[in-house]
């Protein structure tokens, strides 16, 4: 299927590893040029740049700490020198800290909320003037937003807030720009997914998922890119669950 992304310009936060890196690569494979945004992992972001250019598309590297609104405004202003607008914005940067509910410190709480909830808000707010008519935004939440998780309640709460933020943004920006959320279940092969998996029983997927296996970064990336694409033009304010049927078993 042609996702009608040829020649479009996308920005992906959290593109230095995992799902964000896979999303940047899939966007390029579908014909988009990609601004590869990262926090600390410049080497990873450069690998993503190589993947985008290997797909024959243009790529720009942008360091952007999503917890710092001043830094984000400066990065967005500088971006205007390279691109005259954005068709796709994927807000994938995230962080989890696994700490039992009763032991979460104020610093841990603030850090996880800062990256997973404040970050998408600051980046989206700063990007609004750049978003082109017909464009779209995809936020990346988690199944944890629906279920709650006592081992990382701060992360689950931040992602639940992000789902709601997605709806506010969709209402603000419609009909000009669509805003949707993709909420994955556990995805292995990313630093965060592999870290989270250490807290789960070895037979978790077998017992709790209809797929009886966890997800891959590519599967989630393809879902994000479909939702971001003009082909999903009637979809906005939605949350798309991609979790192996987690809630059904
Ligand atoms: N893997 C899973 O099981 C799973 C499940 C549900 C939802 N998710 C969500 O999917 C998204 C991607 O996760 P992943 O599994 O691909 O994890 P990952 O590989 O660890 O990626 C996390 C990304 O977030 C970026 N990041 C973290 N703090 C940042 C900051 N302050 N400023 C800018 N960037 C920052 C990291 O960039 P740097 O390293 O460059 O700082 C990295 O690129 C996250 O939002 C996560 O919550 C993941």
């Amino acid at each position: 299927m042609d996702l009608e992304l040829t020649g479009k310009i996308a920005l992906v936060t959290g593109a230095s590893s995992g799902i964000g890196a896979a999303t940047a690569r899939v966007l390029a494979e579908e014909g988009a040029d990609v601004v590869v945004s990262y926090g600390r992992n410049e080497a990873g972001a450069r690998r993503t740049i190589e993947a985008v250019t290997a797909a024959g598309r243009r790529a720009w590297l942008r360091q952007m700490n999503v917890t710092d609104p001043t830094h984000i405004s400066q990065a967005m202003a500088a971006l205007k020198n390279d691109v005259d607008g954005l068709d796709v914005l994927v807000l994938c940067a995230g962080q989890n800290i696994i700490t039992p509910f009763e032991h979460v410190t104020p610093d841990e709480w603030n850090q996880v909320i800062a990256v997973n909830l404040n970050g998408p808000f600051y980046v989206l707010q700063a990007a609004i003037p750049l978003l082109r008519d017909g464009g779209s935004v995809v936020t990346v939440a988690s199944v944890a937003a629906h279920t709650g998780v006592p081992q990382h309640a701060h992360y689950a709460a931040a992602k639940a807030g992000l789902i709601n933020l997605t709806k506010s943004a969709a209402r603000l920006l419609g009909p000009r720009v669509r805003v949707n959320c993709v909420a994955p279940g556990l995805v292995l092969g990313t630093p965060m997914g592999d870290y989270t998996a250490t807290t789960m029983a070895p037979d978790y997927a077998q017992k709790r998922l209809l797929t009886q296996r966890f997800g891959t970064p590519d599967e989630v990336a393809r879902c994000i890119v479909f939702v971001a694409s003009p082909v999903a033009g009637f979809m906005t304010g939605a949350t798309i669950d991609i979790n192996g049927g987690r809630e059904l078993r």
Side-chain angles (χ1 to χ4, degrees):
M1 188 195 334
D2 177 9
L3 295 185
E4 300 173 18
L5 286 165
T6 302
K8 305 285 188 197
I9 298 183
L11 186 154
V12 182
T13 70
S16 51
S17 61
I19 295 166
T23 301
R25 178 180 46 75
V26 173
L27 281 163
E29 287 167 359
E30 295 295 336
D33 299 328
V34 186
V35 182
V36 172
S37 171
Y38 70 101
R40 301 142 295 181
N41 180 5
E42 183 176 337
R46 288 195 181 279
R47 282 193 291 278
T48 306
I49 292 270
E50 280 169 26
V52 171
T53 53
R57 303 311 309 184
R58 293 182 296 169
W60 299 269
L61 188 65
R62 278 289 175 284
Q63 205 253 338
M64 194 158 63
N65 177 359
V66 301
T67 67
D68 181 344
T70 307
H71 189 195
I72 291 164
S73 304
Q74 288 164 351
M76 287 295 177
L79 188 61
K80 285 185 194 151
N81 298 324
D82 294 322
V83 301
D84 56 5
L86 292 174
D87 301 290
V88 171
L89 174 65
V90 180
L91 300 169
C92 197
Q95 183 186 0
N96 196 2
I97 300 173
I98 294 165
T99 308
F101 193 105
E102 58 274 38
H103 297 304
V104 173
T105 65
D107 281 351
E108 287 174 335
W109 177 270
N110 289 334
Q111 173 66 16
V112 167
I113 299 292
V115 175
N116 296 287
L117 182 57
N118 300 355
F121 173 72
Y122 295 145
V123 176
L124 176 51
Q125 190 186 47
I128 286 173
L130 280 168
L131 290 170
R132 286 185 177 135
D133 288 4
S136 88
V137 179
V138 181
T139 61
V140 181
S142 166
V143 67
H146 302 312
T147 62
V149 186
Q151 294 82 7
H152 40 89
H154 39 0
Y155 175 80
K159 293 299 195 183
L162 181 57
I163 288 175
N164 190 272
L165 180 67
T166 303
K167 294 177 190 172
S168 294
R171 294 183 70 169
L172 174 76
L173 297 175
R176 200 172 71 77
V177 172
R178 297 178 303 108
V179 188
N180 292 288
C181 177
V182 167
L186 189 72
V187 171
L188 296 181
T190 81
M192 187 192 296
D194 294 348
Y195 167 62
T196 308
T198 61
T199 64
M200 299 169 99
D203 59 354
Y204 183 94
Q206 202 71 22
K207 283 198 167 149
R208 302 293 298 275
L209 304 186
L210 296 181
T211 52
Q212 299 191 345
R213 66 166 178 85
F214 294 120
T216 68
D218 239 61
E219 287 172 324
V220 177
R222 288 184 187 286
C223 178
I224 291 170
V225 172
F226 170 76
V227 170
S229 77
V231 171
F234 193 48
M235 186 185 284
T236 192
T239 298
I240 295 86
D241 294 318
I242 172 165
N243 60 31
R246 162 67 179 79
E247 292 104 330
L248 301 178
R249 187 156 177 157

